[in-house]
Amino acid sequence: MRRATILLATLALLGVLGVAAALAATAPPKPQVATDAKGDVRSPLDIKRVSLSRSADGRLRASITLTDPWDAKDLLADSGPPGSVCLKAWTTTAPPDTTPDYLACATADKDGELRGSILQERANKLPARTGSADVTRPSDATVTLRFSQTAIGKPATLYAAAETTRPGCPRGSCIDLAPDAPKTLTLKLQEPAK
């Protein structure tokens, strides 16, 4: 009888350890965070902080905080290109010497409402829209983009950087990056096959 009790206790312990190992294997990776110096760009869209993580539901979450409060209407341009707050994502190419494979962006429509889009960069063509991103504003200085991994091709590893572009300005001096190139955030999304 004692042997049976010990055997059952051992099997129960192994079962608990197996469940714990399975949960650990599916736990989201640790969020990746970068900060950026204030005043390093001639733009009101000056990045202070960016964080990138995978939620428990598998979607990606990018939060970009600027140094000052801003409104969606601050992205509208009187002339020239509109402004944007984006996450540049490298999924199959090596950053930073290549164009990112995808952009997850918050832009403003003509009414000054934020919308989120996932765009795939294509050589010698305009980017193609591959999905949408849910856009929320947890604070007056922060925007959060949530989007499916499928919209960016379900990469094993994601390299990313935040980018803001001042509206109406086509020059590089109007763009802020965090982290500054050549650095990127690195988020492992899948374990390599054994």
Side-chain angles (χ1 to χ4, degrees), residues 44-174:
L45 303 177
D46 188 1
I47 301 172
K48 178 180 181 179
R49 181 181 188 274
V50 58
S51 70
L52 177 64
S53 61
R54 180 174 60 85
S55 303
D57 67 1
R59 292 195 311 162
L60 297 172
R61 179 183 184 275
S63 286
I64 302 166
T65 302
L66 306 185
T67 57
D68 295 311
W70 60 282
D71 186 88
K73 290 183 180 179
D74 293 332
L75 300 176
L76 297 176
D78 293 330
S79 65
S84 61
V85 180
C86 297
L87 183 77
K88 296 166 50 167
W90 290 266
T91 59
T92 60
T93 60
D97 296 330
T98 59
T99 302
D101 300 301
Y102 293 91
L103 297 170
C105 293
T107 56
D109 63 20
K110 63 182 174 62
D111 298 320
E113 296 294 323
L114 284 177
R115 64 174 185 239
S117 298
I118 310 300
L119 304 169
Q120 183 177 21
E121 295 284 9
R122 303 180 301 171
N124 302 317
K125 295 180 182 178
L126 291 174
R129 189 173 190 278
T130 60
S132 63
D134 293 332
V135 180
T136 57
R137 294 294 308 270
S139 77
D140 289 344
T142 302
V143 64
T144 298
L145 298 161
R146 288 182 178 83
F147 54 95
S148 166
Q149 292 183 51
T150 305
I152 61 167
K154 294 191 80 163
T157 302
L158 175 62
Y159 302 96
E163 176 183 89
T164 59
T165 305
R166 187 176 88 199
C169 185
R171 295 185 300 277
S173 62
C174 305

Side-chain angles (χ1 to χ4, degrees), residues 22-38:
L23 288 174
T26 60
K30 182 180 173 183
Q32 299 298 300
V33 177
T35 56
D36 194 44
K38 183 176 181 173

